[in-house]
Amino acid sequence: PYGIYGTREDAQLEFSKQLHIIAGLITEDDGPYLCGSEVSLADATLFPTVVFAVRMYPKFDFGIEDAIPAEIRTWFDAVIEQDEVFRKVYNEIMAGIQKWEDNGRWDPIWRAGQRDEEPGTLFDKIVAGEIPANVVHEDDKVLAFRDINPAAPAHVLVIPKDRDGLTRLRKATLEHVELLGRLLLTAGQISNDESLGFGDGSRVVINDGKDAGQEVFHLHLHVLGGRDFTWPPG
């Protein structure tokens, strides 16, 4: 949903990286503009984006250090102060952003208007290594381990290492598309592992909420196998 980037955080990290590249190209010539004393297409192209970025980055809790480099901020502040046209553009964009904010447009956006304020769970302690677990898979995003109360000969739990607001499936947003795909991919890989007790097939279950029997409010997939299953489930 964010171009080639799976999450808004990845997109913002890349945007900040590009700003730092631009900052390294800024000349030290006299004048407030990117290329010295003369305004250029580079100024006109970058300026509207930075207006929004200056307002946007503080809204999120991604913890991007020095998201907008000092050289860009110096240029940005200077052209607003010294160039009437840029100042007019700034005021027009800010008026639009303010109207956008007044209409609550940030409110539904994950990690801007919405935050994960639910308490931690035992899964956080497993990820941190504070509680031991029989881990069968781990990568940068996903952890999988055997269920201590198995409901089948093969029973593995697959969880996101960073819950990122996914206390339950219905909390998923477009921000979580990549992560949800990783969870399902991992579940499929695990169900192919005969050494874990899986045969020809598995059942993948997500209990969403108390009515569905969810006990730990950190999204997790149950991957069950090694026996026949009936339908409908209980």
Side-chain angles (χ1 to χ4, degrees):
Y2 309 103
I4 63 174
Y5 305 102
T7 68
R8 181 178 279 105
E9 181 175 8
D10 290 339
Q12 290 195 16
L13 285 168
E14 179 60 25
F15 177 59
S16 178
K17 177 182 176 182
Q18 295 301 321
L19 288 179
H20 279 268
I21 292 174
I22 294 171
L25 300 174
I26 294 177
T27 67
E28 296 182 359
D29 297 337
D30 293 336
Y33 303 108
L34 290 172
C35 299
S37 60
E38 296 290 332
V39 67
S40 69
L41 181 61
D43 297 283
T45 302
L46 184 60
F47 184 78
T49 302
V50 176
V51 175
F52 186 76
V54 167
R55 192 66 171 260
M56 173 189 67
Y57 271 116
K59 297 286 186 183
F60 293 89
D61 62 348
F62 295 141
I64 303 175
E65 186 176 352
D66 194 22
I68 301 175
E71 295 88 346
I72 296 291
R73 286 303 302 254
T74 298
W75 157 78
F76 179 72
D77 293 338
V79 293
I80 291 174
E81 179 181 352
Q82 300 179 38
D83 190 301
E84 183 179 350
V85 174
F86 280 92
R87 185 161 57 250
K88 180 180 179 181
V89 171
Y90 172 79
N91 290 332
E92 289 176 351
I93 295 175
M94 288 301 294
I97 293 176
Q98 187 60 55
K99 184 176 180 180
W100 199 71
E101 293 183 351
D102 292 342
N103 290 332
R105 292 291 298 275
W106 292 110
D107 295 347
I109 297 177
W110 174 239
R111 294 180 72 171
Q114 296 184 23
R115 296 283 196 276
D116 185 352
E117 298 178 347
E118 298 296 321
T121 73
L122 62 89
F123 286 173
D124 296 303
K125 295 182 179 180
I126 290 174
V127 171
E130 299 172 5
I131 295 178
N134 189 341
V135 175
V136 301
H137 171 87
E138 182 174 8
D139 59 38
D140 60 323
K141 299 287 187 181
V142 176
L143 184 70
F145 50 91
R146 292 183 183 272
D147 195 309
I148 60 172
N149 295 306
H155 187 170
V156 174
L157 300 179
V158 182
I159 71 170
K161 295 173 79 171
D162 179 358
R163 184 175 67 181
D164 197 28
L166 286 174
T167 53
R168 53 188 300 184
L169 185 60
R170 67 176 58 187
K171 293 292 186 70
T173 70
L174 287 174
E175 187 75 16
H176 300 110
V177 168
E178 182 182 33
L179 180 57
L180 292 171
R182 290 278 292 271
L183 292 170
L184 282 173
L185 178 63
T186 301
Q189 293 170 339
I190 287 170
S191 69
N192 274 318
D193 191 339
E194 295 182 357
S195 71
L196 296 175
F198 290 96
D200 184 17
S202 65
R203 175 165 289 177
V204 179
V205 177
I206 298 177
N207 297 322
D208 182 32
K210 293 181 179 179
D211 289 350
Q214 184 177 1
E215 295 178 348
V216 180
F217 282 83
H218 180 136
L219 181 70
H220 53 286
L221 284 63
H222 296 263
V223 187
L224 305 108
R227 67 170 174 84
D228 293 333
F229 295 92
T230 60
W231 192 264

